[in-house]
Amino acid sequence: VQVAESGGGLVQEGGSLRLSCRHSGSSFENYHMGWFRQAQGKEREGVACFSWKTSDPYYSEALKDRFTISRDSATNTLYLQMNRLKPEDTAIYYCAIEVPCNAGVRYREYYSTLGYWGQGTQVTVSA
């Protein structure tokens, strides 16, 4: 199973970016899938995710007003629309499949050993 993110880049504060994640496995809707991020010198944190148990996504409370997660099952693609970006959103953004998805998108260090992770895509927001 391969996971590949794309769409990162450099954007000015207040701008938008859309990240994409392609997954080579079977039906997307049977898996937990989500976005996580890690800023330099900080711990990885959850951004947004879909649980296979529900159709509604979960979001980090701090990001839910600016970020939107969506998916296209026909193409096995997961998206993250990021609006009104801030310098503190600068991080490497990771897509992950079969990593626990829960309310609040909590991240635990051992999650890095679970499921399938992409290599990450860098998002840099300039002030």
Side-chain angles (χ1 to χ4, degrees):
V1 176
Q2 294 185 343
V3 178
E5 307 94 338
S6 61
L10 175 64
V11 63
Q12 289 189 333
E13 184 174 8
S16 298
L17 279 176
R18 188 193 197 200
L19 305 183
S20 299
C21 170
R22 291 293 303 273
H23 168 236
S24 65
S26 59
S27 177
F28 229 20
E29 294 175 337
N30 295 329
Y31 300 100
H32 298 307
M33 60 193 82
W35 292 97
F36 299 80
R37 70 182 186 181
Q38 188 165 18
Q40 191 170 7
K42 296 187 177 181
E43 294 183 351
R44 193 168 297 187
E45 63 176 348
V47 175
C49 63
F50 283 105
S51 166
W52 65 268
K53 298 179 182 179
T54 68
S55 58
D56 294 329
Y58 295 114
Y59 287 95
S60 162
E61 282 295 312
L63 301 174
K64 66 179 182 178
D65 292 334
R66 298 187 294 117
F67 290 14
T68 302
I69 189 173
S70 61
R71 58 189 172 184
D72 183 345
S73 298
T75 61
N76 274 4
T77 305
L78 185 71
Y79 298 101
L80 183 69
Q81 178 67 42
M82 304 184 295
N83 298 326
R84 304 194 306 279
L85 283 161
K86 304 176 181 180
E88 51 264 43
D89 294 319
T90 295
I92 298 174
Y93 284 72
Y94 297 93
C95 175
I97 308 299
E98 279 296 77
V99 172
C101 173
N102 42 57
V105 202
R106 294 187 304 272
Y107 177 78
R108 297 290 182 265
E109 190 171 346
Y110 74 91
Y111 286 8
S112 65
T113 66
L114 304 176
Y116 306 95
W117 291 79
Q119 292 298 309
T121 185
Q122 177 70 48
V123 172
T124 303
V125 184
S126 62

